[in-house]
Amino acid sequence: MEKITRATYDEVMMPVYNPLPMVMQRGNGVYLYDTDGNEYLDLSAGIAVNCLGHNHPGIVKTISEQAATLMHVSNIFTNNKTLELALKLTKLTGFEKVFFVNSGTEANEAALKLARRYAYDVYGEQKDEIISFYHSFHGRTFFSVSVGGQDKYSHGFGPKPGAITHLPFNDIDTFSQEISEKTCAVILEPIQGEGGIIEVDPQFLAKVKELCEKYHALLIFDEVQTGMGRTGSLYAYQDLNIKPDILTTSKAIAGGIPCGAVLSTSEIAKHFSLGTHGSTFGGNAFACAVGCYVVDQLSKPEFLQHVKDAGAYLVKLLNELNDKYQIFTTIRGKGLLLGCVMNDKYKNMAGKLQACCGAHKLLVLTASANVLRLTPPLIISFEELDKAKVLFDKAFKDFVEHATQA
Ligand SMILES: *Cc1c(COP(=O)(O)O)cnc(C)c1O
């Protein structure tokens, strides 16, 4: 066989991504290794997915045992692991019903369909408007991407699904003017992830909740990125003290195995009646077994406390470096979901800074062109964060020396 290199990507892959130059081969804890044997400290965790790091022994054990026991039977039958995970999630959140899927996109697609069907059944077909917010991201199916607040992702694919309104995030006045009896659902991320690590304003959120109740619109929280301990509580809403009617979760739920879920009340869930929705793989025994293991780890109070402490420590380290290099205006976010906002001198150069970190063997993400995003494995230790600081120091030095040159 031909030697596999980054060039192979351009030969055989559809060009929707432009991955960094290395080709990854192996992982261990917070480290990744490429095909040339280079070691990288990973503060991206597969975009907030590998919450327990790479190749976690407990996950590996669960995977191999479940693979040797039962992987998939379809939803024509149920299985013990699906039901076990559903019980865990309902107990931990107080939601009553679960629908399992394989991704964040599918979770949001199902949540939006559920909200539309609920409004259709209870209030009639005129109640179909979905309100979402600019800079939000809800996935890539044509419905979920059209609901998302970034036009560039939904443009150019033909006629868009209708009755979707986009409003400015955290703008109480505009929201209060726009919501009406026609609104069937409002969807938001408690912290906009892809859009730039933008936290919801608690006052805005309280108003959204109040007006959703007034106009009988369902409130959907997309916790695909903020969920599963990422912000220091199992779900971000639990710390905001405002509970949505429908919650979507995915990314980290099975630590790297595709899995997702929609949670809601019995009252709403009954409108997903027999045959109204479905999935071949959703809720398969394999993914749910891993989900059970991961949820057990993430829901421990000491685990969540570690996320808060590690997050605070990482912010401190970044602020120390920023005092030295003056790259960011602010470092924002919660727990281990952090965004470093580029200052005017380096405006929209987050991608360049990301590449610079990569060259220094430190893996980070961006969130929009102007924000460097960090989503480390939640198990990252203080010592590993100290190592990250050493690599950041080198990368930031390199960046400020070369960034503004051609
Ligand atoms: C990643 C993400 C999605 C999409 O999830 P996929 O698993 O890529 O389909 C949706 N919403 C939010 C908030 C996300 O961060």
Side-chain angles (χ1 to χ4, degrees):
M1 208 173 97
E2 300 168 49
K3 185 168 161 42
I4 301 283
T5 66
R6 171 63 179 77
T8 317
Y9 185 95
D10 296 332
E11 263 172 60
V12 295
M13 298 290 284
M14 294 199 191
V16 292
Y17 290 108
N18 180 24
L20 293 179
M22 59 294 239
V23 177
M24 294 306 182
Q25 184 177 39
R26 187 168 69 81
N28 181 30
V30 299
Y31 293 100
L32 279 174
Y33 301 85
D34 68 15
T35 46
D36 295 324
N38 294 304
E39 179 183 273
Y40 300 85
L41 180 49
D42 181 16
L43 303 187
S44 69
I47 317 186
V49 167
N50 305 102
C51 50
L52 301 183
H54 299 282
N55 305 14
H56 185 279
I59 293 186
V60 173
K61 183 164 176 279
T62 307
I63 286 175
S64 48
E65 286 176 3
Q66 191 62 37
T69 307
L70 184 70
M71 289 211 279
H72 174 83
V73 293
S74 89
N75 289 304
I76 304 301
F77 317 98
T78 191
N79 70 81
N80 58 337
K81 290 297 164 185
T82 302
L83 300 179
E84 222 178 287
L85 183 56
L87 276 175
K88 284 182 198 296
L89 291 172
T90 52
K91 279 213 179 84
L92 287 163
T93 60
F95 286 108
E96 294 155 320
K97 293 283 156 74
V98 184
F99 179 79
F100 284 114
V101 292
N102 310 290
S103 68
T105 297
E106 285 175 61
N108 288 322
E109 181 83 15
L112 293 163
K113 282 181 71 179
L114 175 59
R116 279 265 178 88
R117 180 54 68 106
Y118 172 83
Y120 179 90
D121 288 347
V122 177
Y123 301 100
E125 65 183 340
Q126 76 293 342
K127 193 173 179 68
D128 61 0
E129 183 200 34
I130 291 162
I131 293 181
S132 88
F133 299 97
Y134 293 122
H135 306 298
S136 65
F137 183 78
H138 300 300
R140 296 287 198 160
T141 54
F142 202 32
F143 189 18
S144 65
V145 84
S146 301
V147 168
Q150 302 184 62
D151 211 33
K152 64 175 183 207
Y153 291 144
S154 57
H155 189 71
F157 297 103
K160 293 182 193 181
I164 300 167
T165 303
H166 296 103
L167 299 178
F169 197 44
N170 287 334
D171 180 339
I172 293 181
D173 291 345
T174 311
F175 182 79
S176 306
Q177 283 158 21
E178 292 293 326
I179 190 171
S180 72
E181 286 294 349
K182 233 185 98 51
T183 311
C184 88
V186 176
I187 183 168
L188 61 87
E189 298 157 82
I191 300 175
Q192 291 187 331
E194 307 296 313
I197 313 298
I198 303 163
E199 288 178 69
V200 72
D201 171 358
Q203 274 181 308
F204 173 74
L205 190 59
K207 195 71 185 173
V208 167
K209 177 76 179 171
E210 178 198 319
L211 292 179
C212 279
E213 278 171 9
K214 179 175 172 196
Y215 290 107
H216 309 105
L218 298 182
L219 180 56
I220 306 172
F221 279 6
D222 176 350
E223 292 231 34
V224 168
Q225 191 154 167
T226 54
M228 307 319 300
R230 177 60 48 191
T231 67
S233 46
L234 187 63
Y235 289 104
Y237 86 83
Q238 293 167 322
D239 206 36
L240 291 164
N241 292 316
I242 287 193
K243 194 169 182 179
D245 301 295
I246 303 176
L247 178 129
T248 60
T249 180
S250 184
K251 285 203 162 86
I253 190 169
I257 299 297
C259 187
V262 182
L263 307 181
S264 193
T265 62
S266 299
E267 190 54 35
I268 294 165
K270 73 178 186 216
H271 295 275
F272 254 0
S273 56
L274 188 61
T276 49
H277 198 56
S279 170
T280 297
F281 288 114
N284 67 83
F286 181 71
C288 289
V290 185
C292 284
Y293 177 80
V294 171
V295 169
D296 281 348
Q297 309 308 309
L298 298 189
S299 54
K300 290 178 185 157
E302 60 273 22
F303 189 97
L304 296 169
Q305 187 59 47
H306 172 76
V307 175
K308 288 184 190 141
D309 295 344
Y313 189 61
L314 180 52
V315 169
K316 177 176 120 26
L317 298 182
L318 288 165
N319 277 318
E320 284 165 15
L321 289 171
N322 198 40
D323 287 343
K324 190 164 160 190
Y325 295 110
Q326 311 281 317
I327 298 174
F328 310 119
T329 57
T330 180
I331 292 153
R332 65 193 182 197
K334 204 165 181 183
L336 285 170
L337 180 59
L338 298 174
C340 311
V341 184
M342 308 299 287
N343 69 21
D344 282 346
K345 185 169 175 196
Y346 305 115
K347 198 163 181 57
N348 293 332
M349 289 173 72
K352 199 160 181 175
L353 181 53
Q354 178 195 27
C356 197
C357 290
H360 288 275
K361 310 268 189 299
L362 183 65
L363 305 175
V364 297
L365 301 168
T366 60
S368 82
N370 202 43
V371 177
L372 193 78
R373 175 173 41 155
L374 307 175
T375 59
L378 303 180
I379 48 134
I380 195 163
S381 68
F382 282 56
E383 293 72 33
E384 287 160 343
L385 289 169
D386 287 334
K387 283 189 194 162
K389 187 187 182 188
V390 174
L391 299 176
F392 269 129
D393 200 333
K394 290 182 194 164
F396 289 176
K397 183 167 188 290
D398 191 3
F399 179 77
V400 296
E401 279 170 12
H402 303 104
T404 50
Q405 294 161 18

